[in-house]
Amino acid sequence: MADRTNRAESGDLIEPVFANAPGTEILMDDDGPGTSGQYLHTLQHAKTGDGHILLVPQPSLTDPNDPLRWSTPWKWTVLMNGVAYAFNGAVTGPMMAGGMIQLSEFFGKSLTYLTYANGATLICQGFGNLLWMPLAVKYGRRPVYLLSNFLMGVACIWLAIASETTYVPFIIGRAFLGLFEAPIEAIVPSTGREDIYLRPRSVGGNEIGPLVSAFIIQTLSMRWAFFTVAISIFINQITLIFAMPETKFIGARPQIQPSRLSSDEKVETGNSKTEFTHFERASNDGGSVQSQVSKKSYLQSLAFCPVIDHSVSLRKTFLRPFVLMTYPTVLWSSIVYGMSLGWNVILGASVAQLFAPPPYLFNSGAQGLIFISPFIGSLVGTYLCGPLADNIANWATKKNRGIREPEMRLPTCAIAVVLTFVGALIAALTYQAHTHWAGPIVGFGVLSAGAQMGATLAMAYSLDCHKELSGELMVTISCLKSLIAWIWTWVINDWIASDGIAVAFMTIAAVNVAVYLTTIIFYFKGKSFRMWIHNANLMKKVGLE
């Protein structure tokens, strides 16, 4: 990628032209001429690495209640609580995979109808965030964690009972489960990435869920599979009450971006002027803060709703996700994310159909063990799109004099393209040839590594581009992703039955590859798209700014 940032040598100031490109930010202080000088050295830096990485955002200098100032052990405690919450929610979606045959026989419905139940959870999970996230943006994360987790446990109890009654109450319960667990995909990334500097990765619920539930189903019943998850959820409810304080912060933090305010320190480049300020600015009203804020006690931090952002309009927060659908960066991320995670839906819906009949004759427990391979693949994909992608982006940032562009992590998507296509090819051909069961299952693992990479890179890119709209952004991506993945629940079983796994899997893989290849466009033109978004200012035009 060519040097994307114009600069002017100006003593102790830097002149990056990123005021009109959301997502471009100063990530490192660079000792080269005409870059950071003394200005960036006065800011707070990460304690790891070479000492040149800036903390973005900067922790408050005056407010000890800023989550960015919490101790590392407490940050990890909070994050692990959030991961446990997301894990329980992720488990409930595909946990039926190992019991599809039993449920089909009990309800007298085909596997396609059972897959519809998964689809009900999926679509309600996606659009449920339209309700949950505006509440999280205005009233904070804590009340959303506590209320949605409790309702998720209630839904699992409902499903445990409904699983031994009739199909209609069961599918309705699955729909409500999706509605209640909707925040797992939006609130946990916001908590880790935006609030406490820790970036949550894959929690493995999509793979471990059917793995564990399959043995419970085989040994006991589907009812006890849901009861077991409900018990886990209510245990997590206790830990959330006592170890999940509010992570939304509306106090004052130092600003490190150029600020277009009246100032004597200005640098002219062409017809534009950029000023640099270094003072604490309240995130909700823009006023500077000088006094030290008193620290809340532990008991005060346990309040159900300790933070209310009065500057947030629920109406505007509800409507912004619809405008975000018009942003090229968000639309692209949603399509990539949906196509990638669609493989989780496809595998969960088709494993029983593929491996219960001859020649494999897998029982419920064996069907659950199949998901060890996708789980390992997801771990590999998590590493490749995590530390590896970060290292590539950090290297590019250093080459770019400390200026980070969201597109710098996109080259890793090339690996996702190869893994997704090769994995689908291995799984399809070996199953079609009736080889040893290891053939298709290894293919599932390779495929899952590529899918995990695609999903995580897409999410990271969109969050990097639009940090200031992270809550609304997660709603948009969740809705569009669920809509894309939901389509597979309507067609995948009949498609495999009519045309075979080779045609179905390779067609889907080809579509995946075509979508992934559009990454090239965003690698070279992503900043242009972001500048267009800023200049078009659609939020302001529709009165939602």
Side-chain angles (χ1 to χ4, degrees):
M1 179 171 55
D3 187 353
R4 295 167 171 267
T5 309
N6 299 322
R7 305 179 188 83
E9 296 192 12
S10 53
D12 289 341
L13 298 177
I14 59 176
E15 176 58 19
V17 183
F18 56 70
N20 295 331
T24 301
E25 61 187 7
I26 310 169
L27 189 66
M28 299 178 181
D29 61 3
D30 190 283
D31 293 326
T35 53
S36 61
Q38 296 299 314
Y39 168 70
L40 294 181
H41 291 286
T42 66
L43 299 175
Q44 300 172 78
H45 291 65
K47 296 180 180 179
T48 58
D50 58 7
H52 289 285
I53 299 177
L54 296 172
L55 294 177
V56 181
Q58 291 275 289
S60 173
L61 298 173
T62 60
D63 194 340
N65 300 301
D66 186 351
L68 299 182
R69 293 181 58 174
W70 291 346
S71 67
T72 299
W74 185 236
K75 286 181 181 179
W76 276 106
T77 300
V78 170
L79 182 65
M80 288 301 102
N81 244 329
V83 168
Y85 162 83
F87 178 84
N88 283 328
V91 161
T92 59
M95 65 180 293
M96 292 168 49
M100 294 283 277
I101 300 297
Q102 292 90 326
L103 285 173
S104 176
E105 294 173 351
F106 180 81
F107 290 136
K109 300 288 185 179
S110 67
L111 288 177
T112 299
Y113 275 86
L114 268 298
T115 304
Y116 292 164
N118 280 338
T121 302
L122 190 64
I123 198 68
C124 290
Q125 178 180 328
F127 285 88
N129 276 315
L130 286 169
L131 302 176
W132 286 111
M133 285 313 292
L135 298 177
V137 172
K138 184 173 182 65
Y139 298 105
R141 330 285 199 215
R142 179 172 168 83
V144 172
Y145 271 116
L146 296 178
L147 183 59
S148 64
N149 191 72
F150 176 79
L151 293 175
M152 192 162 59
V154 172
C156 283
I157 295 175
W158 174 350
L159 284 165
I161 298 171
S163 65
E164 295 187 0
T165 55
T166 58
Y167 176 75
V168 173
F170 184 79
I171 195 171
I172 293 174
R174 291 288 296 183
F176 275 104
L177 174 64
L179 179 64
F180 298 150
E181 72 183 19
I184 66 172
E185 291 187 328
I187 197 172
V188 178
S190 296
T191 298
R193 191 180 184 91
E194 304 296 324
D195 299 338
I196 55 177
Y197 285 143
L198 301 177
R199 188 173 300 164
R201 308 289 186 186
S202 169
V203 294
N206 286 318
E207 296 82 19
I208 295 179
L211 171 62
V212 175
S213 67
F215 283 98
I216 298 175
I217 293 167
Q218 182 175 316
T219 305
L220 299 172
S221 64
M222 177 62 77
R223 167 179 289 214
W224 271 104
F226 281 111
F227 275 140
T228 302
V229 176
I231 292 170
S232 177
I233 288 172
F234 285 119
I235 291 174
N236 185 221
Q237 183 76 13
I238 297 173
T239 63
L240 287 173
I241 291 173
F242 293 104
M244 178 54 77
E246 182 54 62
T247 61
K248 179 179 173 63
F249 183 70
I250 59 175
R253 285 172 175 161
Q255 304 295 299
I256 63 174
Q257 295 279 17
S259 176
R260 293 189 176 276
L261 300 169
S262 57
S263 172
D264 293 333
E265 291 188 304
K266 298 182 180 179
V267 179
E268 297 195 20
T269 303
N271 295 323
S272 65
K273 295 182 179 180
T274 304
E275 306 82 33
F276 293 87
T277 60
H278 182 195
F279 58 86
E280 289 217 317
R281 180 182 299 167
S283 60
N284 57 345
D285 60 11
S288 62
V289 176
Q290 302 296 337
S291 59
Q292 185 75 23
V293 180
S294 59
K295 183 175 176 60
K296 292 181 180 179
S297 67
Y298 173 69
L299 289 178
Q300 288 176 319
S301 71
L302 297 182
F304 178 73
C305 186
V307 173
I308 299 178
D309 193 342
H310 296 287
S311 67
V312 171
S313 164
L314 285 176
R315 181 186 69 86
K316 291 182 178 180
T317 307
F318 173 79
L319 293 175
R320 283 182 193 129
F322 297 99
V323 179
L324 284 173
M325 292 180 186
T326 66
Y327 287 19
T329 50
V330 177
L331 185 60
W332 175 82
S333 297
S334 301
I335 294 173
V336 172
Y337 192 72
M339 290 300 302
S340 299
L341 287 191
W343 284 108
N344 289 335
V345 176
I346 291 167
L347 294 183
S350 61
V351 158
Q353 178 183 6
L354 295 173
F355 289 92
Y360 299 111
L361 298 174
F362 280 14
N363 58 24
S364 293
Q367 291 171 31
L369 289 173
I370 291 173
F371 288 89
I372 293 177
S373 178
F375 175 66
I376 295 173
S378 292
L379 292 180
V380 173
T382 296
Y383 170 78
L384 292 175
C385 67
L388 178 61
D390 289 344
N391 289 337
I392 292 173
N394 288 340
W395 174 82
T397 302
K398 289 180 181 179
K399 297 282 287 183
N400 202 34
R401 298 291 185 88
I403 307 299
R404 167 63 63 86
E405 305 283 3
E407 292 78 21
M408 289 176 175
R409 65 173 69 251
L410 293 183
T412 322
C413 194
I415 304 175
V417 173
V418 175
L419 292 178
T420 301
F421 188 82
V422 171
L425 185 65
I426 293 172
L429 294 183
T430 54
Y431 183 89
Q432 195 82 358
H434 301 300
T435 66
H436 188 271
W437 55 260
I441 292 175
V442 168
F444 291 167
V446 177
L447 167 64
S448 296
Q452 181 65 41
M453 289 187 67
T456 306
L457 285 170
M459 181 69 71
Y461 177 70
S462 57
L463 284 173
D464 285 346
C465 290
H466 308 287
K467 287 186 174 70
E468 72 285 356
L469 293 170
S470 61
E472 295 90 335
L473 173 70
M474 298 301 298
V475 174
T476 303
I477 292 180
S478 180
C479 289
L480 294 179
K481 175 271 301 180
S482 294
L483 185 61
I484 293 170
W486 178 63
I487 295 172
W488 300 126
T489 66
W490 285 86
V491 301
I492 190 62
N493 295 110
D494 291 339
W495 192 3
I496 291 175
S498 61
D499 294 338
I501 186 176
V503 172
F505 270 42
M506 294 317 300
T507 301
I508 298 170
V511 175
N512 267 146
V513 170
V515 170
Y516 283 159
L517 289 178
T518 60
T519 304
I520 299 172
I521 299 173
F522 280 83
Y523 181 67
F524 290 103
K525 295 296 183 180
K527 187 166 186 176
S528 298
F529 291 142
R530 291 186 283 121
M531 294 179 71
W532 174 85
I533 289 170
H534 175 85
N535 294 329
N537 203 355
L538 297 178
M539 290 292 181
K540 184 177 182 179
K541 289 180 179 178
V542 297
L544 297 178
E545 193 175 40

